[in-house]
Amino acid sequence: MSNELKRTYVPFKDWKEKSKQIEYTERTPLLSPDGKLLVRGWARKNYFEYNRDYVKRIITTRKEWDFYTIFDDEMQILLSFANIGIGGYASARLVNLKTGETICDAVQYFAGANKHVSHSIPDAPCRFKDKIGKAEFDFHTKETERTLSYKGVYKNKPVEVNAVMDIPEGLESLTTVFPFHGYDTMYFMTTKQVCMPCEGSFKFGDFEYKFTKDKAFCSLDWGRVNTPHEMVWYWGTGSQYIYDADGNRHLFGFEITWAIGDESYATETCIFYDGKIHKIGAVDVEKFPKGRYLEPWKFISEDGRFNMTMIPSLDNYSGVDMKIGSMLCHQVYGMWNGDVTLDDGTKIEIKDLFTFCEYVENKW
């Protein structure tokens, strides 16, 4: 399929009008019993009540995931669970961000849509504990912290991951719901929560890597979607401690995702500052990075409030390409510099934030 056909979204510079940014502040059902989408917009926590039994065409289109990314300036840890209609997996992965080497990639697959089902509450106290084959995991969210654990096997060696992260008081999350043109029962709902300082360890055989809260942060990507077979998207997120002119320390982070579905009701973009969301408009890259992933990425927003440039150091590429489906991901890490503007007009300079933005072509 041609590159032009894959990139069916409209860059924000060509939009006829800006996104309405419709915000929800009270709990509301996501779907009607016949599977039609009832909401379109965003919220500062997940107010959207998800009933997986209402989802239509579940065999090929319903996808559910809990995806935790932990990284500092040396290593990336991915802990994830996914249910993709006909089956799914639980996994723990460790990647060296200096060399691009995948040190461990422990994956346990399962078949069946309903045997292993995660919780439907991404940003409130809950627990998802399960065992699948040789993998055991426990994702436990409390009021002030999350704990993540995973035990499994990779290349006949034991794998064990333990992580504890802070949930700062009043930490908000960004939940967005997008429809798809021409489909009244298809949608894309995700909750993104960042700015969670994290500590713990990843053990693989005799190898052990420890990460600490002064350098490592965790981000949660929680998704419950019902989508067309083919999509493309960008996703970038980052967290960092920054200091104001008086020397006071603040937690800064951002979430930028785009090119998925109809973004006229909201965009999956915001700035986090001391746990609070400062909503921004659509974000895009100045030049499409296809084939140029290690060249600078300049990010711009329709409202002028997100101006960042990433100088890449690693294209953490992963890909599966089969006749029935594929997922080709360029997750590009680098150093970000620029400025952002808060809701009150305060401009903040961001220096040397190490994080990623990915470009994905997906058919599954």
Side-chain angles (χ1 to χ4, degrees), residues 30 69 89 95 118 168 197 205 270 272 295 299:
L30 177 73
T69 305
Y89 64 87
V95 177
S118 179
C270 75
F272 293 91
E295 294 182 14
F299 299 89

Side-chain angles (χ1 to χ4, degrees), residues 300-313:
I300 49 178
S301 63
E302 64 176 348
D303 51 20
R305 294 175 56 189
F306 190 90
N307 298 286
M308 302 281 280
T309 298
M310 174 177 67
I311 304 300
S313 58

